[in-house]
Amino acid sequence: MTKRVALAFSGGLDTTVCVSLLKEEYGYDEVVGVTVDVGQPESEFEEAKETADAHGLDIHVVDAKDEFAELCFDSVRANATYQGYPLGTALARPIIANAILDVAEEEDCDAIAHGCTGKGNDQLRFEAVWRTSDLTVIAPVREMGLTREWEKQYADEKNLPVQSGNDGVWSIDTNLWSRSIEGGQLEDPSYVPPEDIYEWTDDPAEANEPALVEISFENGYPVAVDGEEMDPADLIEHLNDLAGKFGVGRTDMMEDRMLGLKVRENYEHPAATVLLTAHEGLEQLVLTKEERDFKTQVDDQWSQKGYEGLVDAPLVKALEGFIDETQTKVTGKVTVKLQGGQCRPVARESDYSVYSEEVASFNTETVGDITQEDATGVAKYHGFQGRLANDVAAGVEKPELAADGSGADESEE
């Protein structure tokens, strides 16, 4: 009986060596390669095909770009970031994992495999999806304790054309929403990255005239740029190109992974930066303080589950119930200014605004039928408990209250 395994195949170093290892070390007769399109550049598919041909491997290419774009827009509604950067790779992994699982089941595979190491997050994100099935999960790099240096030597011995970004110096992962660069000298936190690690963003120091860009939202979803309506994937690609010219969307950070390791990561995410900035600017206009305060907690929880690759968890569905309710008012337009690597909102408008220029203006005397003098009582009470606590701590004697509560001592009358 033929033993068949489906492999998450990108054509990069890790997955390339896994093809041979699954046959030589694990005894599988056939490896079914699966490449999932979540917005990678065309060159990556060409490289994957070149590597697959060298192996004699037929690969399935699954188009999940639109599905991924929709999840990215869900993340905008949740203001989803992890330790300060927009989620990209993390959101793509469940989409990729589900697509590979579908192929594995269609091809009657006995097992499903990935090329993740035992130190990263992606092993957890893939397997959270795959372990819902009865297929055996295999992780050759993790299980055999492989290093990048060993893999490079192995690929050379097998004469495999491995592409891994900058001739293998960096490990690069690209999708519609973000581009990550790691490995090599970047693992040293004191190393200053060269400008050539970036592809999506120009040097922010380059002189560019500032640009104003208008983003339109309906129910929290981005729908148009400068009045032109676009599908999610097209809108993201347009903003990646536009904002990238101003150096918008670079992150160089020390990131805390799920396994407890701290790692150095570099990211590019121009469109994500613009859309998250604009969305939050619109929420500031249309949501009450109580909604904004509570939604911060909801967004943090959504972001954490998104980082873990658990976007289908029951908690996420519950969180999205609250998000859906708040987003019914997040309809309007936000103008952002792009300049020198920065993106900031400079104007916003919505029919659901809870802001009143007349009420807030210093040039108007009253707030409806409320006069300025009405604030005097509030001002007296504000901070009263704290003042009382400080007096008690300092040993200040509390005043005696008269029977009528006036504060006068009856014996002194």
Side-chain angles (χ1 to χ4, degrees):
M1 181 177 178
T2 301
K3 290 180 63 179
R4 185 178 291 118
V5 56
L7 170 67
F9 186 78
S10 67
L13 179 62
D14 297 318
T15 59
T16 296
V17 300
C18 282
V19 177
S20 294
L21 293 175
L22 287 166
K23 294 180 179 180
E24 296 171 1
E25 301 295 330
Y26 288 85
Y28 283 90
D29 304 300
E30 184 178 346
V31 178
V32 179
V34 187
T35 300
V36 183
D37 182 359
V38 285
Q40 305 94 308
E42 187 60 35
S43 60
E44 291 193 17
F45 296 105
E46 294 172 358
E47 292 164 2
K49 186 177 187 306
E50 178 184 358
T51 308
D53 288 345
H55 267 301
L57 175 72
D58 290 329
I59 58 174
H60 296 250
V61 179
V62 180
D63 185 355
K65 189 174 176 180
D66 290 338
E67 182 182 357
F68 178 54
E70 290 171 2
L71 180 58
C72 291
F73 277 15
D74 287 339
S75 78
V76 170
R77 300 172 96 217
N79 299 310
T81 61
Y82 177 75
Q83 295 188 337
Y85 77 94
L87 297 174
T89 299
L91 295 181
R93 293 308 186 236
I95 300 291
I96 295 171
N98 276 300
I100 296 170
L101 180 57
D102 288 343
V103 172
E105 293 175 339
E106 290 168 4
E107 295 294 322
D108 295 323
C109 290
D110 308 290
I112 191 165
H114 61 71
C116 304
T117 75
K119 293 184 176 181
N121 294 321
D122 286 344
Q123 57 180 332
L124 307 179
R125 296 163 178 158
F126 279 124
E127 294 183 30
V129 173
W130 293 348
R131 293 187 184 278
T132 63
S133 74
D134 295 328
L135 298 179
T136 300
V137 176
I138 304 175
V141 176
R142 180 180 70 199
E143 293 164 7
M144 297 177 65
L146 306 183
T147 65
R148 285 286 169 86
E149 288 305 316
W150 186 93
E151 292 176 23
K152 289 177 183 178
Q153 183 178 349
Y154 180 85
D156 287 340
E157 293 172 356
K158 295 289 184 179
N159 195 30
L160 300 175
V162 176
Q163 300 290 332
S164 186
N166 197 14
D167 297 324
V169 176
W170 321 118
S171 176
I172 296 175
D173 182 83
T174 306
N175 60 50
L176 187 67
W177 199 236
S178 74
R179 178 175 179 270
S180 69
I181 316 100
E182 61 181 1
Q185 288 176 282
L186 293 174
E187 292 179 350
D188 178 2
S190 68
Y191 174 71
V192 179
E195 191 64 26
D196 64 9
I197 73 167
Y198 301 107
E199 288 187 5
W200 286 9
T201 54
D202 293 344
D203 186 344
E206 292 182 0
N208 283 318
E209 291 296 323
L212 298 180
V213 180
E214 182 187 80
I215 310 297
S216 300
F217 292 87
E218 290 183 7
N219 298 324
Y221 290 112
V223 294
V225 177
D226 291 328
E228 182 180 351
E229 294 187 3
M230 303 180 193
D231 292 332
D234 292 336
L235 191 151
I236 294 169
E237 288 180 332
H238 174 73
L239 284 178
N240 274 334
D241 181 62
L242 176 60
K245 290 182 172 61
F246 295 87
V248 169
R250 289 187 180 184
T251 299
D252 186 330
M253 65 179 296
M254 299 304 300
E255 179 178 324
D256 295 301
R257 286 181 175 170
M258 284 183 274
L259 293 179
L261 300 176
K262 193 178 291 289
V263 294
R264 202 283 185 74
E265 297 282 0
N266 284 264
Y267 296 102
E268 294 182 283
H269 37 74
T273 298
V274 171
L275 294 176
L276 287 164
T277 299
H279 178 266
E280 188 171 5
L282 187 56
E283 283 194 336
Q284 293 171 1
L285 181 68
V286 302
L287 299 184
T288 64
K289 181 181 184 301
E290 290 82 1
E291 288 173 311
R292 290 175 61 190
D293 288 347
F294 191 79
K295 190 169 185 291
T296 297
Q297 302 174 54
V298 172
D299 291 345
D300 286 346
Q301 288 293 314
W302 197 103
S303 300
Q304 183 62 44
K305 303 313 289 184
Y307 182 74
E308 294 169 357
L310 301 176
V311 292
D312 290 326
L315 175 61
V316 174
K317 290 179 172 54
L319 295 172
E320 288 181 340
F322 176 83
I323 292 173
D324 286 342
E325 179 63 27
T326 60
Q327 299 306 289
T328 59
K329 295 177 286 187
V330 187
T331 295
K333 300 175 182 179
V334 177
T335 300
V336 297
K337 187 174 186 177
L338 309 178
Q339 185 179 27
Q342 302 297 314
C343 171
R344 59 189 178 89
V346 293
R348 66 279 284 165
E349 59 181 277
S350 172
D351 291 338
Y352 297 94
S353 170
V354 292
Y355 167 79
S356 168
E357 181 179 356
E358 180 181 359
V359 166
S361 174
F362 292 125
N363 291 322
T364 55
E365 183 178 351
T366 63
V367 178
D369 61 353
I370 304 172
T371 68
Q372 293 190 48
E373 290 181 354
D374 290 333
T376 301
V378 177
K380 288 180 177 180
Y381 275 107
H382 186 64
F384 170 75
Q385 191 174 88
R387 294 194 298 271
L388 182 59
N390 289 336
D391 287 346
V392 170
V396 177
E397 185 176 350
K398 289 182 286 187
E400 294 289 335
L401 291 179
D404 64 358
S406 65
D409 190 331
E410 289 181 327
S411 63
E412 295 178 357
E413 293 180 354

